[in-house]
Amino acid sequence: MDVELIEIRNYLTEHPPFDQLPDGVLDILPRNLSVRYLRRGSNFPPDEEKNALWLLRTGAVEFRDPDGELMERLSEGEHFANPCSGASLIPRQIGKVIEDSLFYLLPCEIFSELRQQYPDFSNHFEQDLRSRLQHAIIQLQQRRGSGNSLMHVEAGTLIKRAPITIDPAQSIRQAAMLMSRERASSVLVVEQDNLVGILTDRDLRQRCVAAGVDVNHPLREIMTSDLQTLNIHAPAFEALIQMTRLHIHHMPVVDQQGKLKGIITASDILHQHNLNTVSLDSTIRHCQDVDGLVKASKQLPELQAQLISSGMNADQLTQALSAVTDGITKRLLQMAEKQLGPPPVPYAWLICGSQARREQTTVSDQDNALLLDDAFQPEHDAYFQSLARYVSDGLAQCGFVYCPGDAMATNPLWRQPRRVWRSYFNKWINTPEPKALMHSCIFFDMRALHGETGLFTQLQTQVLEQCRNNGIFLTNMAANALQYRPPLGFFRQFVLINDGEHDDTLDIKHRGVIPLVDLARVYALAAGISAINTRERLKAAEAAGVLSHDGTEDLLHALEFITTLRARHQARQHMEGLKMDNYLPPHSLTRPERSQLKDAFAIINSMQQAMKNRYQASGIA
Amino acid sequence: MLGTWGQNLWRKRQLTRLEDNPLREYYLRPFPSAAYDCRALEFVALDLETTGLDPKKDVILSIGFIKLHGMLIDLSSAQHHLLCPNREIPERSAVIHCITDDQAAEGKHIEDVLPQLLQQLSGRVMIAHYARVEMKFLDRACRQLYGGPFLIPVVDTQRIAKRALERRIQEIRFHDLRLAECRRRHGLPHYRMHNALSDALAAAELFLVQMAQFNCRKPVPLKYFL
């Protein structure tokens, strides 16, 4: 026997969230609907049918705010639930049917019964943008990742045995005997229950045997102090990132009270993950020539795809990739120095942009600069020019394309002593014209990677002090940060832009990531915050009181959702043998993803408004 | 054709002639006036699937109908009945309607379904696409079962579509007037055809579109569509 009203049932099963309802409910639900047709130009919803959820079968509807500004457009398969969710919560909007439309109407009473009985269905209509987005992030995570990936495992579970510890007053020989007996490559040095250091095979070799230190000396002399530790509940990937960044192979793990629980080694992680950043990083550090680096960096896209499919989120991924890129850059600098000899004056190699923020993907380009000691003389420039050329060309060979805006140390403008950099920043801060602001975006996200990093710390401190509470500068930065606006959402196979224009693909970098990065930069500079990573900036801005708690949470969620979607898009491109990019075709997004992205865009938009009001920025064209 | 005023006179005469049966019940309620605004009227969209076009030789295989309150189709009123014909289904019509002898054998008899249908139609306006077939078959069934003719104010969506097309194009092909093609022209979704309920719903939606062509701020009298 065939199902009655099969056309309507089919429509429901094909459109979220109705697809979440059980078959039995879908069989009877069509009988609870009614059908309405509205011509183009009709008001929506019409006065006489206020008490229903409207499902759009064919046609299109749009909403504008009382000033006539476009807010949203709905098309086939989308719905309008406002009449059923209490009008007070909804901003005033004026609806109009813009194409002849056929609707199915679900009475509000039945809709609320369904919501009570079916939570998966109900979640979709959650009024609160925040909880909706949180839910979306969880869904996005669940869709990827196997159970035993580094993402799902706590650092504590990788500990193989109780920690092997020794007192720092013991001799080097006693330490070596203990390590041999325990077949361990390291011992942890503990003094009065406090972890004070670590002694590894490498320390014994390099600092004792090779250096000719007497094995009867206390081991304190050759141990590594100033240790980085990891909480046992931290996700295991955190160990991966830290080890990559610090170039270490041993990571002590402590509990909540700081009590030592054990140690994780690079090989413990290797067992979890065949291709990983620690092993890639160590390959890079042992490369003897640029060709070796080029070969190693060819693995980056594959690594990105693997890490994402193993369940890493975008923040962790870009941290890991940035750490690897840091490693490649450092290695190139070492090779250059080896070839060119020692520098005539101290210098610091600066990295800018996404790599500096530790938000890099494999499609990023290179942004860098050279900060030279004030003892610099014009005749020294030949050396630094060659250094910059060597590194920049090397990076380009490794796949990091030259910066299209020429923000690289090969450009003499960005290869200057500290006093010149000071004058640059003075100019950017005191006379913020459009070009200066463009440079600000690059050079306010900067960190020293190699050389005399102290040169940079001084510069940064002065600059931050100057930016902070500088009204005119902040107003201009805020206006500049409004240059990229998120879209309103999607309409059919298009991206719907503010003025009702359409884009064929979603440029997720310029319409999602950059607006967030720019927002965080303005708030960070306003509060004199030295962090450059967007998440860290947002959290620090909250702590400094320039961003509200709710605003911060919203922005963090939007960032995570958008960047994770981007990373997944790139992983998918890689698996299909395509070049990775930042352009998401709307048809590749599921309907829930479209509406979740719309939520994220709405958050960015409202936070951009808040920033605009706070710094009275009017926006520049 | 009689106006609704004339139809009502005729209806009252039937009341004196007919025995107490479902058809007489049906005639108790007056036909709605042709001057009434459609948006305040009630309609029943109807479709019959038959073994052919001649009510003397052919039989009804299934009946689908659905109610409209003004411009709103009430899906809860949807009904679909398979009838069991007292003869074999010709192969040609089985192919069109996908109703086989076995399915039909489990169906109801027309005398069980017709009272329900008449009750729904009473005092309302009928909608059908090419209504002549429905009218002929219902008339024959009423005469056979209840001894009287069947009459009702009818909105024929095909006739309305034809009038609208005549204003725009010279030569109308038969294909242009088919239900699916009329719906396609107005951007309505594609429904499977030759299921009595789907076709009834399809005609009802087409009528919503046809009604919507008129200025929504003025009344749309029923006579525009009769």
Side-chain angles (χ1 to χ4, degrees):
Chain A
M1 189 65 205
D2 62 346
V3 182
E4 284 185 3
L5 299 169
I6 187 87
E7 283 81 10
I8 293 167
R9 190 190 190 280
N10 286 349
Y11 170 85
L12 293 174
T13 53
E14 282 161 18
H15 293 95
F18 293 90
D19 57 348
Q20 306 281 339
L21 297 170
D23 279 351
V25 173
L26 286 168
D27 287 343
I28 55 166
L29 197 54
R31 285 209 157 259
N32 291 289
L33 305 178
S34 43
V35 183
R36 210 40 237 269
Y37 179 82
L38 293 173
R39 283 204 83 188
R40 180 183 18 238
S42 314
N43 291 332
F44 183 83
D47 295 329
E48 65 274 16
E49 261 108 32
K50 289 282 191 208
N51 263 330
L53 172 115
W54 291 70
L55 289 143
L56 196 43
R57 180 61 168 87
T58 60
V61 175
E62 74 176 27
F63 297 92
R64 292 180 182 271
D65 70 11
D67 299 328
E69 192 77 18
L70 182 63
M71 296 171 74
E72 180 173 30
R73 248 179 220 172
L74 300 179
S75 67
E76 297 77 2
E78 296 183 290
H79 54 258
F80 178 70
N82 289 10
C84 296
S85 42
S88 63
L89 291 166
I90 294 140
R92 240 168 71 73
Q93 52 181 20
I94 297 151
K96 264 246 161 8
V97 177
I98 55 169
E99 288 172 18
D100 297 346
S101 301
L102 188 71
F103 299 93
Y104 299 147
L105 279 71
L106 175 65
C108 291
E109 312 91 72
I110 296 174
F111 173 58
S112 59
E113 271 175 45
L114 289 174
R115 283 197 64 177
Q116 276 164 22
Q117 286 189 44
Y118 305 102
D120 285 344
F121 173 77
S122 189
N123 280 333
H124 188 90
F125 299 94
E126 179 63 62
Q127 266 307 310
D128 181 21
L129 213 65
R130 187 165 308 141
S131 32
R132 233 162 39 197
L133 203 55
Q134 274 168 349
H135 189 75
I137 291 168
I138 295 167
Q139 276 185 328
L140 203 59
Q141 302 283 12
Q142 282 171 346
R143 232 171 306 144
R144 300 170 296 121
S146 50
N148 61 353
S149 72
L150 290 180
M151 177 61 202
H152 302 282
V153 169
E154 290 186 355
T157 61
L158 294 182
I159 298 171
K160 292 272 158 59
R161 54 170 158 176
I164 302 155
T165 61
I166 194 164
D167 190 278
Q170 300 271 24
S171 72
I172 297 171
R173 176 202 281 272
Q174 278 168 319
M177 284 164 59
L178 176 66
M179 285 162 73
S180 303
R181 199 164 59 237
E182 296 287 342
R183 295 173 182 279
S185 59
S186 67
V187 277
L188 292 164
V189 187
V190 174
E191 189 169 33
Q192 285 152 9
D193 273 355
N194 286 324
L195 180 67
V196 295
I198 187 170
L199 189 70
T200 65
D201 276 346
R202 201 202 304 189
D203 296 330
L204 290 173
R205 185 174 73 237
Q206 289 181 349
R207 296 183 191 158
C208 172
V209 182
V213 173
D214 185 345
V215 293
N216 294 314
H217 281 199
L219 67 92
R220 188 195 301 277
E221 288 179 18
I222 64 159
M223 73 179 187
T224 302
S225 45
D226 187 20
L227 282 189
Q228 192 84 20
T229 61
L230 197 67
N231 188 287
I232 45 166
H233 297 302
F237 69 83
E238 192 66 42
L240 185 76
I241 294 168
Q242 296 285 352
M243 285 186 196
T244 311
R245 192 188 289 167
L246 303 169
H247 312 301
I248 54 176
H249 287 84
H250 297 86
M251 191 79 166
V253 178
V254 296
D255 68 8
Q256 304 287 30
Q257 287 73 43
K259 193 168 176 309
L260 183 66
K261 299 307 276 185
I263 194 156
I264 301 179
T265 68
S267 58
D268 294 337
I269 294 180
L270 223 65
H271 286 303
Q272 289 277 326
H273 242 253
N274 43 14
L275 179 57
N276 72 57
T277 50
V278 178
S279 57
L280 188 58
D281 181 66
S282 102
T283 309
I284 286 164
R285 280 185 309 119
H286 292 101
C287 279
Q288 292 309 311
D289 51 25
V290 179
D291 287 348
L293 287 176
V294 171
K295 218 174 121 205
S297 49
K298 284 224 165 67
Q299 294 185 45
L300 276 173
E302 176 64 25
L303 182 70
Q304 172 171 353
Q306 274 196 21
L307 291 179
I308 273 295
S309 56
S310 74
M312 216 181 224
N313 72 27
D315 174 48
Q316 298 144 8
L317 171 80
T318 52
Q319 295 258 7
L321 290 175
S322 302
V324 173
T325 312
D326 284 2
I328 294 173
T329 315
K330 275 187 199 167
R331 190 72 197 113
L332 280 167
L333 281 158
Q334 289 160 355
M335 290 176 185
E337 280 179 12
K338 199 172 160 199
Q339 193 177 328
L340 300 169
V345 292
Y347 75 93
W349 182 268
L350 308 180
I351 46 173
C352 320
S354 62
Q355 186 190 348
R357 293 193 304 270
R358 299 197 163 92
E359 288 161 15
Q360 206 199 337
T361 65
T362 55
V363 287
S364 301
D365 52 12
Q366 51 166 304
D367 299 303
N368 45 53
L370 265 171
L371 172 61
L372 310 169
D373 190 274
D374 279 340
F376 170 81
Q377 293 301 317
E379 62 265 29
H380 297 146
D381 194 50
Y383 176 91
F384 291 111
Q385 192 185 349
S386 309
L387 181 85
R389 177 55 56 204
Y390 189 99
V391 177
S392 183
D393 289 352
L395 284 172
Q397 279 177 271
C398 289
F400 303 98
V401 295
Y402 296 112
C403 169
D406 209 16
M408 293 181 294
T410 45
N411 181 343
L413 271 177
W414 315 130
R415 190 170 69 232
Q416 294 290 342
R418 201 166 60 88
R419 56 173 189 275
V420 177
W421 278 105
R422 275 293 293 138
S423 72
Y424 284 169
F425 277 102
N426 270 337
K427 210 174 103 209
W428 294 334
I429 294 165
N430 296 327
T431 47
E433 51 187 51
K435 191 147 190 207
L437 288 163
M438 196 192 80
H439 288 139
S440 306
C441 290
I442 301 170
F443 293 112
F444 280 99
D445 297 354
M446 191 148 77
R447 101 185 125 85
L449 182 70
H450 182 82
E452 280 304 318
T453 52
L455 282 174
F456 175 70
T457 320
Q458 275 177 305
L459 178 69
Q460 194 190 29
T461 315
Q462 289 165 339
V463 166
L464 283 177
E465 194 46 51
Q466 210 173 343
C467 294
R468 191 170 151 172
N469 304 326
N470 183 331
I472 295 169
F473 172 68
L474 291 173
T475 299
N476 280 285
M477 280 299 279
N480 190 56
L482 294 171
Q483 203 181 335
Y484 295 106
R485 308 298 300 260
L488 288 172
F490 299 91
F491 181 66
R492 303 217 164 103
Q493 69 273 40
F494 300 110
V495 182
L496 184 64
I497 317 297
N498 278 14
D499 41 17
E501 295 286 299
H502 291 166
D503 271 357
D504 292 341
T505 58
L506 172 63
D507 178 349
I508 199 165
K509 179 178 171 188
H510 288 99
R511 295 209 172 265
V513 182
I514 288 189
L516 285 163
V517 168
D518 286 352
L519 262 170
R521 183 185 305 109
V522 171
Y523 283 108
L525 294 178
I529 291 159
S530 64
I532 44 175
N533 175 268
T534 300
R535 300 177 67 87
E536 288 168 22
R537 274 180 166 166
L538 291 172
K539 285 178 189 160
E542 184 200 345
V546 292
L547 259 181
S548 69
H549 172 72
D550 288 351
T552 310
E553 289 289 295
D554 285 352
L555 287 170
L556 288 171
H557 285 137
L559 181 68
E560 177 165 359
F561 186 74
I562 286 174
T563 51
T564 303
L565 213 56
R566 168 168 80 167
R568 211 192 52 180
H569 159 73
Q570 293 178 345
R572 191 161 45 198
Q573 286 183 315
H574 178 76
M575 282 184 281
E576 288 168 7
L578 303 168
K579 201 168 163 354
M580 296 189 190
D581 64 27
N582 286 304
Y583 301 100
L584 270 80
H587 66 75
S588 74
L589 297 164
T590 64
R591 272 189 192 273
E593 281 167 359
R594 281 168 166 232
S595 72
Q596 288 151 0
L597 261 175
K598 208 171 91 184
D599 288 345
F601 295 150
I603 285 173
I604 299 173
N605 189 50
S606 76
M607 293 306 285
Q608 281 187 332
Q609 284 302 327
M611 178 188 66
K612 186 174 161 184
N613 297 338
R614 186 179 176 116
Y615 299 106
Q616 278 145 28
S618 54
I620 50 170
Chain B
M1 195 186 232
L2 297 166
T4 41
W5 182 79
Q7 282 184 335
N8 268 318
L9 268 183
W10 185 90
R11 178 183 62 83
K12 281 177 196 153
R13 215 174 69 226
Q14 297 303 320
L15 288 176
T16 60
R17 287 186 46 227
L18 286 166
E19 288 172 29
D20 197 7
N21 64 28
L23 184 61
R24 191 174 187 280
E25 287 279 310
Y26 162 79
Y27 280 129
L28 282 174
R29 272 205 231 140
F31 297 133
S33 158
Y36 286 169
D37 183 356
C38 284
R39 286 167 298 180
L41 282 179
E42 296 202 329
F43 300 83
V44 175
L46 171 75
D47 184 68
L48 304 183
E49 300 297 319
T50 57
T51 54
L53 292 177
D54 182 356
K56 290 198 192 76
K57 289 191 299 201
D58 295 309
V59 294
I60 304 171
L61 291 172
S62 65
I63 299 179
F65 55 94
I66 195 160
K67 255 177 15 185
L68 287 83
H69 308 283
M71 299 192 289
L72 200 69
I73 302 170
D74 173 10
L75 295 181
S76 69
S77 68
Q79 290 197 38
H80 186 227
H81 301 282
L82 287 181
L83 299 189
C84 81
N86 297 318
R87 69 185 90 164
E88 270 180 38
I89 297 170
E91 193 183 330
R92 187 171 48 85
S93 80
V95 170
I96 295 176
H97 312 296
C98 301
I99 298 171
T100 60
D101 286 325
D102 289 347
Q103 276 178 329
E106 289 168 21
K108 300 170 186 137
H109 291 274
I110 180 80
E111 50 266 47
D112 302 327
V113 177
L114 199 53
Q116 286 182 54
L117 175 61
L118 288 172
Q119 199 192 358
Q120 289 299 320
L121 288 171
S122 179
R124 300 190 170 118
V125 180
M126 188 178 102
I127 297 170
H129 197 76
Y130 192 54
R132 275 185 61 183
V133 176
E134 276 71 21
M135 288 303 289
K136 278 196 301 187
F137 275 87
L138 288 182
D139 185 62
R140 173 144 181 109
C142 283
R143 285 176 194 273
Q144 282 182 337
L145 290 170
Y146 308 125
F150 175 70
L151 195 70
I152 191 165
V154 175
V155 167
D156 186 336
T157 49
Q158 192 195 59
R159 227 159 55 87
I160 301 169
K162 191 171 171 222
R163 280 196 308 226
L165 271 183
E166 276 164 354
R167 270 179 254 130
R168 288 173 28 220
I169 53 175
Q170 291 283 312
E171 208 177 319
I172 300 167
R173 292 165 303 163
F174 173 68
H175 171 77
D176 296 328
L177 295 175
R178 294 181 60 168
L179 180 55
E181 182 57 23
C182 291
R183 287 173 60 85
R184 194 197 56 76
R185 270 200 305 279
H186 290 289
L188 290 175
H190 179 75
Y191 286 175
R192 73 189 161 152
M193 288 185 297
H194 303 300
N195 169 284
L197 182 55
S198 288
D199 281 352
L201 176 60
E205 288 177 358
L206 180 58
F207 181 59
L208 291 185
V209 174
Q210 291 169 337
M211 238 193 317
Q213 307 304 311
F214 291 89
N215 185 337
C216 60
R217 276 177 283 278
K218 289 192 202 147
V220 184
L222 175 62
K223 62 175 175 234
Y224 285 9
F225 302 108
L226 293 176

